Amino acid sequence: MTINEKQDEIIEDFDLFDDQLDKTQYIIDLGKKLPPMPEQYKTDYNLIRGCQSKVWLHAEMQGDVVHFEADSEPTAQISKGLVSLLIRILNHEKPEEVAKADLYFIDKIGLSSLVTSRRAGGLASMLKQMKDFAAAQTV
């Protein structure tokens, strides 16, 4: 499945909800389904700068694709849900695809109206860290 096909699938998922609270709860539920990240990766190096909560993102190459995993402090359920959306789209993709990905789903599902400006900034920081890692692999 391509990055755009994954985004379209997420847009369809969010179209099922009419209410902002339902969408927010869905994001929280997605975060709860994110597999736990090994403690060894919860380092300052993997900490997302710009998030209002502690969110860690570990990236590594697995063959010719990028593998991402993430976690957050227990109270950061929305942030964990947001990073899980990014992982759902960008995980196990070639680094050049991740680096150039246009993540249009963010606007299409109205994410900016669901989260505070600080969380939106954190989301942008998560995406930047993922793209920066991927871009570094294409050199």
Side-chain angles (χ1 to χ4, degrees), residues 52 111-112 114-121:
Q52 72 181 47
L111 209 49
S112 57
L114 289 174
V115 298
T116 64
S117 60
R118 287 189 56 150
R119 280 208 181 94

Side-chain angles (χ1 to χ4, degrees), residues 71-89:
D71 205 347
S72 70
E73 58 190 346
T75 57
Q77 295 176 346
I78 291 175
S79 296
K80 190 172 181 176
L82 294 174
V83 76
S84 76
L85 282 169
L86 296 178
I87 288 174
R88 182 171 160 188
I89 293 168

